[in-house]
Amino acid sequence: MKRHTLALLGSALLAGIAGGCAPVPPAEQAALPGVDVAAARSLAMRNNCLRCHGMTKHKEGPTYAEVAAEYRAKPDAENRLYEHLTSGKGKVMPDGHVEHHKTISNRRPEEIRNLVRWVLAQ
């Protein structure tokens, strides 16, 4: 019985870590005042954002660091990214093709804006 319970607990822990449910290190949360890092990560995971976007590792889409570098200094950065994530409108890429983006399934504006602020902080 004990082995079975320990095996289940170990599997649940590994699944949680692999699924992005690992606790947010206090230093990371402290470095981003006004951003709920755990909620932003969770929303990104639920919407499969990290399938195409890595934090710093390039995948199918730009990394969050690249997105932040492109938009961070723009005065309307948060609103532009919010619109991009909620409208599904395409973005013209450097090679001229239009890239359509999946919309965030969550319709709570404050949670989506938290995600945008987290991305811009990378």
Side-chain angles (χ1 to χ4, degrees), residues 13-64:
L13 177 62
L14 287 174
I17 291 170
C21 297
V24 176
E28 182 180 352
Q29 180 61 61
L32 302 174
V35 175
D36 183 339
V37 175
R41 277 189 191 172
S42 177
L43 184 58
M45 293 296 293
R46 287 192 317 268
N47 283 273
N48 295 317
C49 301
L50 299 173
R51 183 181 70 81
C52 295
H53 301 281
M55 299 301 288
T56 56
K57 181 181 175 187
H58 194 65
K59 295 182 179 181
E60 193 175 318
T63 67
Y64 285 157

Side-chain angles (χ1 to χ4, degrees), residues 3-19:
R3 276 190 199 171
H4 182 68
T5 302
L6 288 175
L8 286 174
L9 287 173
S11 296
L13 177 62
L14 287 174
I17 291 170

Side-chain angles (χ1 to χ4, degrees), residues 50-118:
L50 299 173
R51 183 181 70 81
C52 295
H53 301 281
M55 299 301 288
T56 56
K57 181 181 175 187
H58 194 65
K59 295 182 179 181
E60 193 175 318
T63 67
Y64 285 157
E66 291 169 335
V67 172
E70 179 180 347
Y71 287 95
R72 186 182 299 123
K74 297 180 180 177
D76 61 343
E78 186 174 324
N79 289 334
R80 287 178 68 180
L81 289 176
Y82 179 88
E83 176 72 16
H84 183 64
L85 294 177
T86 58
S87 71
K89 291 180 183 174
K91 177 180 182 195
V92 178
M93 303 307 284
D95 66 1
H97 83 280
V98 176
E99 185 75 31
H100 294 282
H101 196 276
K102 178 185 171 226
T103 60
I104 298 291
S105 64
N106 183 326
R107 290 293 170 204
R108 290 185 177 156
E110 67 279 359
E111 291 181 14
I112 298 170
R113 288 197 181 279
N114 182 63
L115 173 62
V116 168
R117 286 190 296 274
W118 178 61

